[in-house]
Amino acid sequence: MSTELPPVAPEVLAEAVENLTARLRKKLDDATAGCADGAVHDADGSVTFRFGEDALVTLRPGPAGTVTEAGQATCTCLLAPRCLHRAAALGAAPLADAAPPEPEPEPALAPEPTAVVPTEAGSEARAAAAPAVSADPAEPAEPVPALTAAQLGAAAALWHAAAEALAAGVTAGGAVVQAELLRAAHTARLAGLPRAEAAALRVVRGLRAARERRTAHRLGDLTASFRELLHTAGVLASGATDPALTGTSRRAYTAGGSLQVHGLCREPVLSATGYGGVVTHLLAPDGSRYSISDVRPGGLARARGAGRASVALGGATLDHAGLARGGLRIVGATVSAEGRLGAGRGVKATPLPGAAWADGPAAPLFARPAAEAVAALLAGTADAADAETALIGCDVVVVGAAGDHLLVHEARPDAPLLRMLPAHPHPELPHTENLRRIASYPGLHLRVLGRPDLDRAATLRPVAVGPVAGEAYTLRLPEEWLGRADLGYDRLQGSHFPPPDTAPEPAAGAGPGPVAEAPDPLADSPLWRVRRLLETGVAGGRRAVAEAARGAAPQTAYGPLRRAGLSAAADLAAALAAEADRRPRDAFGRLADPSPDGYAWAWLAAATHLAAAERSLVAASWTAATPSGATPAAR
């Protein structure tokens, strides 16, 4: 029997908090804390909370295991349903995900084209929001419809709730502040702004994680979530009609005709909201990228088992393990904007033999330097998240372990040292163990397929690895693996590596000892001062920013930024500190301007500039040549 609480729809929790009196709202955080410790789980899936002698709260989730209606949460006290007990029990439960997208629509019956060239696989949010592109370049693009009055009102309400939450910070961002965000998020969903709703839910989950001091919480992640939420709500509230910010709640599939795809790799999918599964990346002979995913509730157990689940596509007899090293010929394919293959009723699929990385459609992925691939990703999309989900390939030479990551050297002249981190750090997944084993073979030649981490300098998160053709000191994988190992599912063993006595001689002057760390322009930059100020605001709210600014003279705080040529960052940080400390009062001591809008705009301006500056430094780190003597292993 599960001991986890059933997820609660955001609008149900928001309504419960809204119905409380002002006196009860002040007690809500204390009532929520610890109320789940004594929860009783019944065999029918319901959960009961006891508050004192006479108050019992019962949550009865629906068939999907989620509390989606107010009537599914009841209390026996006299004030129910407007009682503190019911709101506290709902607040202790995890938030449910946004409403699922509508079922995949079948393409309109029309003559099927012979081929399709989709966009490269990208982030789900951006791809779902991407406008349709006409097949005829001469045909004018359809105008983007203006925002409706309901959308403008929902965006304005969400901006106000986000600004209030930012001004409060984690320390004061309790259940009431979170409920205001949830109410605004629900209004945004009803108005047709799913991306704004999703951004608000991420902020609420981040606030909860921070207040509960969960080990997986990172203040930097919550700061990024606030930046995205404020940017999305602010732009929409101004009336801008940007489809990438409006989003859509359904993934549109179009007829793709006949396709031939070959497997690249597969990787586990594990979300913080309890979903797990697998995504298999595919490649067409013309270089177009596709994917097939199987993600459902189930968490880690499903992520581990889905790697060998059957592929639900057109009656194909392959599982995901076979598809990652095989291929499909698809007739009547349906394809979403981001290259996701659909399983419509008219889709037929036939298995094909697999293609090796070295001589198949994947060969061009490894033909250009990693720096060029990263630059193309950054230049080809306005959404940074889209670049972070795309896969790039490169050949590298293992240098060794350095701290919590693996250092490798791209096998090209004047190439920089690259850091390799696990794509999924969960200890029950084999990514970390595989990288640790690889690190024990300095000088090993590897072919790597992974995604760049654009929040870190020259960092790659590998998804799959394989041997390098023509190199003696490289991986020796089983023939049935077809020359690659999926790091999220395959576990590398000693027999997969070359004998130690075949290792190359160390480079001249390398010698024993720890591996020299690669230069990190992001860590060496004084931009950390702006980052600390922004994160101080997220953690402690507006008051904390004002107090931090009073503690040091402006020249001491922002002088290093100006001396490094980062005068814009210094000006924006100073403006944020000044706005945080601006609290004008009238003759009676009351705040003359209680609105948090000015502070939120100042914080957003500084956060947006910081993100762009850091992204530029990260992009430059992929092109920086390795200093002399920094690579202790032979190449």
Side-chain angles (χ1 to χ4, degrees):
M1 182 184 301
S2 174
T3 59
E4 297 181 356
L5 299 181
V8 173
E11 61 271 18
V12 175
L13 173 58
E15 182 182 13
V17 176
E18 186 179 22
N19 289 335
L20 297 179
T21 64
R23 180 179 63 86
L24 292 180
R25 290 187 183 188
K26 295 178 181 179
K27 301 179 179 180
L28 182 55
D29 287 332
D30 292 336
T32 302
C35 74
D37 296 340
V40 178
H41 297 257
D42 298 329
D44 61 353
S46 62
V47 182
T48 303
F49 303 79
R50 177 172 291 278
F51 293 86
E53 294 294 331
D54 302 322
L56 287 177
V57 177
T58 303
L59 303 183
R60 295 184 177 86
T66 303
V67 177
T68 57
E69 299 177 2
Q72 295 174 337
T74 59
C75 182
T76 59
C77 76
L78 297 178
L79 293 179
R82 302 173 180 269
C83 64
L84 178 65
H85 317 116
R86 181 173 173 272
L90 290 171
L95 282 179
D97 286 328
E102 298 179 26
E104 173 195 331
E106 289 293 329
L109 295 178
E112 292 183 351
T114 57
V116 64
V117 181
T119 58
E120 288 190 351
S123 68
E124 190 165 320
R126 175 182 177 272
V133 180
S134 171
D136 184 0
E139 182 181 345
E142 296 182 5
V144 179
L147 296 179
T148 65
Q151 289 175 324
L152 290 172
L158 188 57
W159 164 267
H160 180 73
E164 292 282 2
L166 178 67
V170 172
T171 55
V176 175
V177 172
Q178 296 171 25
E180 292 297 328
L181 272 174
L182 295 177
R183 168 63 68 182
H186 180 59
T187 304
R189 176 162 68 89
L190 296 179
L193 301 175
R195 173 163 177 171
E197 178 205 16
L201 294 183
R202 281 193 292 271
V203 168
V204 173
R205 290 191 176 102
L207 287 172
R208 284 188 165 194
R211 290 178 63 85
E212 295 171 7
R213 292 181 171 84
R214 300 178 192 169
T215 55
H217 164 69
R218 290 182 64 248
L219 188 58
D221 292 340
L222 181 55
T223 302
S225 297
F226 262 112
R227 183 184 71 241
E228 180 184 358
L229 173 59
L230 289 169
H231 170 72
T232 302
V235 173
L236 291 176
S238 69
T241 55
D242 185 353
L245 294 181
T246 305
T248 177
S249 60
R250 66 187 294 169
R251 182 182 295 116
Y253 285 80
T254 58
S258 298
L259 295 176
Q260 179 176 319
V261 294
H262 294 276
L264 274 176
C265 63
R266 59 188 165 137
E267 63 172 322
V269 176
L270 185 61
S271 75
T273 55
Y275 283 77
V278 64
V279 58
T280 298
H281 301 278
L282 308 166
L283 195 65
D286 63 356
S288 301
R289 302 192 191 187
Y290 301 88
S291 65
I292 296 177
S293 64
D294 182 5
V295 180
R296 302 175 187 175
L300 176 64
R302 192 169 196 290
R304 297 173 63 181
R308 291 196 171 275
S310 298
V311 176
L313 181 68
T317 57
L318 290 175
D319 59 14
H320 281 272
L323 179 57
R325 296 183 173 95
L328 287 175
R329 179 178 286 110
I330 308 172
V331 178
T334 57
V335 188
S336 70
E338 75 274 21
R340 188 75 57 84
L341 295 177
R345 290 188 298 271
V347 178
K348 303 296 182 184
T350 305
L352 291 175
W357 280 357
D359 53 9
L365 292 177
F366 306 93
R368 62 175 177 174
E372 291 185 10
V374 172
L377 288 175
L378 293 176
T381 175
D383 191 341
D386 185 54
E388 292 171 348
T389 59
L391 297 177
I392 67 172
C394 58
D395 291 347
V396 301
V397 181
V398 174
V399 175
D404 62 346
H405 54 264
L406 167 65
L407 280 183
V408 299
H409 202 296
E410 192 176 1
R412 295 179 180 273
D414 299 324
L417 280 174
L418 304 180
R419 301 165 179 83
M420 291 176 62
L421 291 175
H424 299 275
H426 197 287
E428 296 297 324
L429 296 174
H431 291 89
T432 301
E433 178 185 345
N434 284 331
L435 287 186
R436 187 180 298 117
R437 186 175 289 271
I438 291 173
S440 62
Y441 289 84
L444 183 72
H445 288 256
L446 281 179
R447 176 155 284 190
V448 179
L449 187 66
R451 55 177 53 87
D453 186 340
L454 299 182
D455 292 327
R456 299 172 182 261
T459 300
L460 189 67
R461 295 186 180 270
V463 174
V465 297
V468 178
E471 295 291 344
Y473 196 65
T474 187
L475 290 176
R476 302 182 179 184
L477 300 178
E479 184 177 351
E480 60 270 18
W481 285 16
L482 205 62
R484 65 260 206 180
D486 298 328
L487 296 180
Y489 290 105
D490 301 321
R491 294 186 182 271
L492 296 175
Q493 307 295 331
S495 60
H496 299 150
F497 293 88
D501 56 5
T502 63
E505 293 294 330
V515 174
E517 182 59 273
D520 190 341
L522 192 59
D524 298 339
S525 168
L527 286 172
W528 64 267
R529 298 172 183 272
V530 183
R531 189 185 316 112
R532 185 173 66 180
L533 184 66
L534 294 171
E535 292 181 353
T536 297
V538 171
R542 177 174 185 168
R543 180 176 300 178
V545 174
E547 292 176 354
R550 299 190 198 109
Q555 185 62 29
T556 303
Y558 309 121
L561 288 168
R562 300 186 188 281
R563 289 192 293 271
L566 301 170
S567 57
D571 292 342
L572 291 171
L576 171 61
E579 181 62 31
D581 203 25
R582 188 183 68 84
R583 307 286 280 178
R585 298 182 181 274
D586 59 17
F588 299 98
R590 297 171 299 190
L591 286 176
D593 182 17
S595 173
D597 287 357
Y599 171 74
W601 281 118
W603 187 94
L604 179 59
T608 303
H609 181 274
L610 175 65
E614 290 184 335
R615 185 59 53 87
S616 297
L617 290 176
V618 169
S621 70
W622 286 84
T623 61
T626 303
S628 176
T631 307
R635 287 186 289 166

